[in-house]
């Protein structure tokens, strides 16, 4: 298959997905941010995701749950093309962000990642000051025309991440000197600073104590007013607390997706039920 | 529950909760049964025993509530486990009410022990009692077997209880109007019938919980309203005299009831 054919196929698939998409999103009453269709992901010979189709609503929280190795993180990383960074990883399928195919050759992955920000399990601030951690993204993407505007972005982002009051007097202290929970909120501030549309969170609170976890969850609740949030979590309770919709993955397949209140009280699939109630599958 | 929990204690705790409910259910049903036997045989002694039995039902309710609270606090149950715990709380409440109402029937037996109700009345009450007891047992069976279809069936059959109650109501009114000396007795029997009807309603709540545990859904149907007593008023023919009407309005017992609201007539004014 030459490149031209591949692009044609992409375009057709994307057009079809655009037509079909939005089912799950209309249920939440919002628009669809992501429409993904027939996603298959391979690590070398090994297939990690099998034919997953999932719609992700805007201004809402989508939780991805499932046992380790079920493909939820792999799927999450497809949404901002983080898997491009892994040589042996091959991604197939359609990913539409606001109707636009993000694997289209014209899309710059770096710009995409500014639109689709990410927060990881372990807080990973840059070994720079708190200020520089947040200013880094806006600066490289040229989002601020002068120092004042940059300072504004930093302050707004830290405020949105509910960290401002705790750090405003020591903006030039190293980010790595903050507590774990503060570092994670700093990473969220850094993700917000590039004015993304989507925030991907991969186990954002699993290394935090209950208070810091509650702060992150409160933050997620506030952020969903303006962003589309996709969160991978191992904590059922966390998924139940923060998300509007929940998708359950198992062995690389999407087993069930639905409103969170339904998934945690009356899941349709036995596999989902066994997993969330802690039974042998 | 096809699969077991990885944490075995969780399974054990759910099982204990379930067997407490079953035990409580049988106790409440037995309480009702002995209240009904006491009523039929006008056996004050048995009635006393029945009243004492109710304490055990109450104790079990507290135990179930405590278990359920512990389960929620320590296991954070989800999905079918969550439904099981919530249903246990609800069903325990309903069973406690069923026990209370049975106790109430037993209390009346003690009052009525010396009275001799007319035969047809006894028959009607006996039939209604049998029907309600079968409903209680049916709901418990549905819970034990996790049988949603049975729960739905029992739920629907509450209509029969309501109908039985409506006809008891009419019958009792007739007796009271025919012979005011029976008013005391009939009022007690009417409350007894009312208690049975209420038990029937609690049974439907149990059925709804069972259905929810098993299917994860609520019963969507609307229950046919069989209890028509709220619309029954014995036909009353006021004299043309205006004074009488005023008396009636002010609640003075000046009206002269004639025929009872027999047959299917539910209109407040049968003239």
């Amino acid at each position: 298959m030459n490149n031209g054919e591949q692009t044609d196929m992409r375009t057709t698939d994307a057009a079809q997905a655009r037509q079909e998409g939005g089912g799950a999103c209309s249920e939440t009453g919002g628009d669809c941010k992501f429409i993904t269709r027939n996603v298959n992901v391979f690590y070398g010979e090994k297939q990690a995701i099998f034919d997953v189709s999932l719609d992700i609503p805007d201004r809402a929280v989508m939780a991805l749950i499932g046992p380790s190795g079920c493909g939820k993180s792999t799927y999450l990383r497809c949404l901002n093309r983080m898997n491009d960074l892994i040589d042996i990883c091959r991604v197939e399928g359609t990913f539409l962000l606001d109707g636009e195919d993000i694997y289209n050759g014209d899309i710059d992955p770096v710009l995409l990642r500014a639109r689709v920000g990410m927060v990881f399990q372990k807080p990973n601030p840059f070994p720079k000051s708190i200020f520089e951690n947040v200013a880094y993204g806006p600066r490289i993407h040229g989002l601020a025309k002068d120092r004042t505007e940059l300072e504004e972005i930093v302050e707004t982002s830290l405020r949105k991440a509910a960290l401002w009051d705790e750090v405003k007097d020591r903006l030039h202290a190293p980010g790595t000197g903050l507590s774990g929970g503060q570092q994670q909120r700093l990473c969220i501030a850094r993700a917000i600073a590039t004015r993304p549309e989507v925030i991907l969170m991969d186990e954002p609170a699993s290394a935090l104590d209950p208070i810091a976890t509650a702060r992150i969850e409160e933050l997620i609740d506030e952020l969903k007013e303006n962003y589309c949030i996709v969160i991978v979590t191992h904590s059922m309770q966390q998924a139940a607390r923060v998300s509007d919709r929940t998708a359950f993955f198992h062995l690389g397949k999407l087993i069930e997706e639905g409103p969170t209140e339904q998934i945690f009280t009356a899941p349709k699939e036995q596999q989902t039920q066994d997993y969330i109630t802690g039974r042998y599958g | 529950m096809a699969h077991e929990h990885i944490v075995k204690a969780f399974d054990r705790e759910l099982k204990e909760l379930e067997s407490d409910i079953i035990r409580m259910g049988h106790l409440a049903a037995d309480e009702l049964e002995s209240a009904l036997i006491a009523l039929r045989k006008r056996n004050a002694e048995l009635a006393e025993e029945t009243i004492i039995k109710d304490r055990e039902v109450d104790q079990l309710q507290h135990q179930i509530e405590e278990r359920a609270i512990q389960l929620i606090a320590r296991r954070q149950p989800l999905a079918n486990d969550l439904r099981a715990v919530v249903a246990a709380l609800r069903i325990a409440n309903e069973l406690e009410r069923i026990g209370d109402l049975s106790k109430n029937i037993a209390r009346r037996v003690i009052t009525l022990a010396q009275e001799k109700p007319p035969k047809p009345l006894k028959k009607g009450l006996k039939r209604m009692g049998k029907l309600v007891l079968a409903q209680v047992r049916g709901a418990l069976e549905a819970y034990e077997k996790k049988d949603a279809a049975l729960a739905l069936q029992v739920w629907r059959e509450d209509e029969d209880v309501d109908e039985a109650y409506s006809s008891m109501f009419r019958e009792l009114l007739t007796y009271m109007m025919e012979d005011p000396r029976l008013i005391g007795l009939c009022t007690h029997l009417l409350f007894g019938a009312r208690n049975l009807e209420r038990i029937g309603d609690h049974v439907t709540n149990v059925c709804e919980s069972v259905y929810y545990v098993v299917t994860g859904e609520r019963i969507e149907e609307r229950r046919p309203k069989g209890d028509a007593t709220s619309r029954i008023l014995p036909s009353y023919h006021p004299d043309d005299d205006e004074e009488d009407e005023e008396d009636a309005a002010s609640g003075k017992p000046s009206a002269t009831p004639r025929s009872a609201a027999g047959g299917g007539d539910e209109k407040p004014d049968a003239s």
Side-chain angles (χ1 to χ4, degrees):
Chain A
M1 196 189 286
N2 70 35
N3 232 347
E5 267 175 33
Q6 212 165 10
T7 312
D8 283 352
M9 250 183 65
R10 278 220 86 83
T11 320
T12 333
D13 287 348
Q16 203 185 341
R18 261 176 221 118
Q19 278 194 338
E20 297 169 356
C25 306
S26 57
E27 265 181 53
T28 53
D31 299 325
C32 231
K33 196 67 188 174
F34 267 108
I35 297 172
T36 67
R37 285 291 174 277
N38 311 107
V39 175
N40 288 287
V41 180
F42 303 83
Y43 289 111
E45 291 300 300
K46 196 182 170 311
Q47 187 163 0
I49 290 185
F50 297 82
D51 207 36
V52 168
S53 294
L54 184 61
D55 293 340
I56 301 171
D58 199 5
R59 291 166 206 274
V61 180
M62 165 75 85
L64 310 181
I65 61 168
S68 298
C70 70
K72 57 191 188 302
S73 289
T74 301
Y75 175 83
L76 186 78
R77 295 161 63 90
C78 291
L79 298 176
N80 68 348
R81 293 183 57 172
M82 291 290 278
N83 289 325
D84 289 14
L85 308 174
I86 302 167
D87 280 343
I88 57 164
C89 184
R90 194 170 93 244
V91 177
E92 289 176 1
T94 310
F95 292 85
L96 302 179
L97 172 58
D98 284 336
E100 188 183 6
D101 182 356
I102 60 169
Y103 282 82
N104 180 318
D106 299 339
I107 296 266
D108 176 353
V110 176
L111 290 179
L112 173 70
R113 287 176 207 134
R115 287 175 69 192
V116 184
M118 193 154 187
V119 176
F120 299 87
Q121 177 174 10
K122 262 192 81 182
N124 55 352
F126 302 137
K128 290 170 185 280
S129 71
I130 294 167
F131 183 91
E132 282 306 316
N133 262 280
V134 184
Y136 182 80
R139 192 179 280 138
I140 62 163
H141 289 292
L143 296 177
K145 58 177 191 298
D146 53 34
R147 177 81 191 177
T148 325
E149 213 173 275
L150 191 63
E151 281 170 359
E152 268 172 31
I153 293 176
V154 170
E155 180 175 340
T156 317
S157 306
L158 284 169
R159 278 190 192 281
K160 276 192 196 153
L163 189 60
W164 175 252
D165 288 338
E166 290 161 60
V167 300
K168 62 183 177 207
D169 300 326
R170 46 172 170 154
L171 287 176
H172 299 286
T176 47
L178 297 171
S179 75
Q182 289 172 327
Q183 286 188 24
Q184 194 63 307
R185 278 178 284 147
L186 178 61
C187 293
I188 292 173
R190 186 177 64 191
I192 297 170
T194 59
R195 295 185 192 142
E197 298 151 45
V198 182
I199 304 172
L200 309 178
M201 297 184 171
D202 195 348
E203 293 270 6
S206 62
L208 305 180
D209 73 21
I211 308 260
T213 300
R215 290 228 169 83
I216 300 285
E217 288 177 2
E218 166 63 17
L219 182 54
I220 291 173
D221 233 31
E222 282 165 21
L223 293 175
K224 81 170 183 188
E225 300 289 321
N226 300 305
Y227 301 91
C228 161
I229 296 171
V230 189
I231 177 171
V232 163
T233 175
H234 272 134
S235 158
M236 296 310 124
Q237 268 68 32
Q238 182 168 63
R241 285 192 301 260
V242 303
S243 70
D244 299 292
R245 296 186 75 86
T246 299
F248 170 58
F249 285 71
H250 186 60
L251 299 175
K253 297 191 172 98
L254 175 64
I255 305 298
E256 183 172 357
E257 188 272 339
T260 297
E261 63 267 26
Q262 175 244 316
I263 297 284
F264 287 100
T265 58
K268 293 196 172 73
E269 302 297 328
Q270 182 71 42
Q271 271 176 297
T272 315
Q273 173 147 302
D274 285 348
Y275 179 68
I276 65 172
T277 58
R279 290 182 166 87
Y280 291 114
Chain B
M1 263 185 249
H3 304 119
E4 289 176 346
H5 284 96
I6 297 163
V7 179
K8 292 190 189 70
F10 195 173
D11 275 330
R12 203 164 53 235
E13 287 160 14
L14 283 169
K15 199 85 217 151
E16 284 166 351
L17 188 66
E18 193 179 315
S19 49
D20 272 359
I21 290 280
I22 292 168
R23 199 148 63 86
M24 185 182 176
H26 287 302
L27 271 174
D30 292 347
E31 191 186 334
L32 172 61
E33 189 169 19
S34 70
L36 290 170
I37 294 171
L39 181 66
R40 204 160 64 235
K41 302 197 167 156
R42 280 173 288 132
N43 182 339
E45 211 175 306
L46 182 57
E48 297 276 10
E49 281 171 33
T50 308
I51 292 168
I52 292 167
K53 254 188 204 167
D54 189 54
R55 282 187 211 151
E56 213 176 326
V57 175
D58 289 352
Q59 273 166 10
L60 260 172
Q61 191 213 1
H62 291 144
Q63 185 173 320
I64 287 164
E65 212 173 271
E66 189 51 38
R67 278 195 202 284
I69 290 169
Q70 288 297 326
L71 258 163
I72 292 168
R74 302 169 67 144
R75 306 278 176 208
Q76 290 107 47
L78 288 171
N80 55 343
D81 299 337
L82 176 61
R83 302 204 301 269
V85 174
V86 170
L89 277 171
R90 285 208 299 229
I91 292 174
N93 270 335
E94 302 301 336
L95 294 175
E96 191 270 335
R97 293 299 302 139
I98 290 174
D100 269 2
L101 292 162
S102 303
K103 182 172 74 178
N104 207 302
I105 293 172
R107 282 217 180 105
R108 291 179 198 283
V109 173
I110 298 169
T111 317
L112 296 179
Q114 306 311 320
E115 304 272 339
K116 255 196 168 25
K119 243 203 167 121
L121 267 185
K122 276 178 70 180
K123 229 172 138 185
L125 207 57
K126 184 181 166 187
R127 210 187 55 228
M128 191 178 172
K130 229 171 123 180
L131 191 61
V132 172
L133 184 62
Q135 287 287 91
V136 174
R137 300 247 191 246
L140 289 175
E141 189 186 338
Y143 178 77
E144 275 193 71
K145 294 184 176 161
K146 302 278 166 284
D147 186 339
L150 179 59
L152 190 59
Q153 186 196 324
V154 173
W155 182 82
R156 285 184 182 136
E157 280 165 5
D158 184 55
E159 204 184 349
D160 299 343
V161 176
D162 288 345
E163 272 169 21
Y165 174 57
S166 301
S167 83
M168 279 293 295
F169 185 86
R170 289 194 188 95
E171 228 176 299
L172 285 162
L173 284 181
T174 313
Y175 279 101
M176 288 191 256
M177 284 189 280
E178 276 173 2
D179 184 354
R181 282 169 303 173
L182 286 177
I183 285 177
L185 170 68
C186 286
T187 306
H188 278 295
L189 292 180
L190 183 58
F191 275 119
R194 177 69 181 162
N195 288 339
L196 287 174
E197 189 271 336
R198 295 293 305 140
I199 290 176
D201 289 346
H202 290 295
V203 168
T204 62
N205 291 343
V206 172
C207 291
E208 283 167 14
S209 288
V210 171
Y211 190 88
Y212 178 66
V213 174
V214 180
T215 64
E217 285 161 17
R218 290 170 201 287
I219 298 177
E220 289 296 343
E221 271 174 52
R222 284 188 59 130
R223 209 163 58 83
K225 256 275 160 245
D227 171 15
T229 56
S230 57
R231 283 169 281 137
I232 297 175
L233 187 69
S235 44
Y236 148 65
H237 303 268
D239 296 330
D240 293 334
D241 195 7
E242 277 204 3
E243 254 182 282
D244 267 356
E245 264 178 38
E246 272 171 25
D247 285 349
S250 61
K252 285 182 202 160
S254 69
T256 47
R258 284 185 206 156
S259 71
D265 195 353
E266 290 166 17
K267 275 188 238 159
D269 190 345
S271 56

